């Protein structure tokens, strides 16, 4: 057994205690949706959660293909980006939109602070799907 790795035991049905290795895990930075709401206030000049403005709505963002909100006029760069929004792609885009999608119509320099990005992403995830009328 490797030095510094301890065996742990799980209760596994009829087999009783089963050993497994406790390996160090690196957890992704978990954001605070409440703090993210404050960061999102910077986005309100162009975006809203539930409706399109200069920028597209953000409800239902997770799992959505970039450039795919029906009726919204996206840049060709965004439509052709191939991005599907998840926490990783959002982090890259929010950090530096112009570098992540060259030619995007989003003229914002990005959120450089990693904690603010994590909080903002947590807020966007918590927004959930779009409400149907």
């Amino acid at each position: 057994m490797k030095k510094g790795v301890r065996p742990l035991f799980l209760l596994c049905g009829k087999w009783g205690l089963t050993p497994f290795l406790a390996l160090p895990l690196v957890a992704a930075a978990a954001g605070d949706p409440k703090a993210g709401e404050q960061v999102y206030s910077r986005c309100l000049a162009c975006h809203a959660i539930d409706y399109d403005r200069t920028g597209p709505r953000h409800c239902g963002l997770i799992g959505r293909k970039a450039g795919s909100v029906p009726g919204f006029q996206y840049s060709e760069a965004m439509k052709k980006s191939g991005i599907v929004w998840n926490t990783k792609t959002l982090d890259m885009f929010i950090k530096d939109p112009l570098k992540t999608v060259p030619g995007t119509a989003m003229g914002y320099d990005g959120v450089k602070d990693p904690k603010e990005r994590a909080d903002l992403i947590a807020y966007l995830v918590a927004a959930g799907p779009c409400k149907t009328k």
Side-chain angles (χ1 to χ4, degrees):
M1 187 167 304
K2 291 184 179 182
K3 185 177 179 178
V5 177
R6 295 187 194 148
L8 296 180
F9 295 88
L10 290 175
L11 186 56
C12 294
K14 68 179 184 178
W15 302 107
L17 297 176
T18 303
F20 74 98
L21 297 179
L23 300 175
L25 297 175
V26 178
D32 174 4
K34 190 72 173 164
E37 185 174 12
Q38 293 300 312
V39 179
Y40 191 74
S41 68
R42 299 180 212 162
C43 308
L44 291 173
C46 298
H47 293 278
I49 293 294
D50 294 316
Y51 56 92
D52 297 337
R53 298 186 68 192
T54 303
R57 70 195 83 145
H58 283 144
C59 59
L61 188 60
I62 302 301
R64 184 167 74 207
K65 185 175 187 280
S68 68
V69 170
F72 188 82
Q73 297 298 311
Y74 289 95
S75 65
E76 284 301 311
M78 187 60 74
K79 289 191 282 190
K80 293 179 180 178
S81 70
I83 292 173
V84 174
W85 298 119
N86 59 45
T87 57
K88 183 179 176 181
T89 56
L90 278 170
D91 187 59
M92 289 186 321
F93 184 74
I94 293 168
K95 180 179 181 180
D96 194 342
L98 302 172
K99 180 179 176 187
T100 305
V101 182
T104 183
M106 186 164 146
Y108 182 66
D109 193 38
V111 177
K112 303 305 181 195
D113 181 87
K115 180 172 180 350
E116 287 185 344
R117 281 197 315 275
D119 292 344
L120 177 57
I121 291 166
Y123 175 71
L124 293 169
V125 168
C130 296
K131 296 164 183 62
T132 56
K133 294 180 181 181

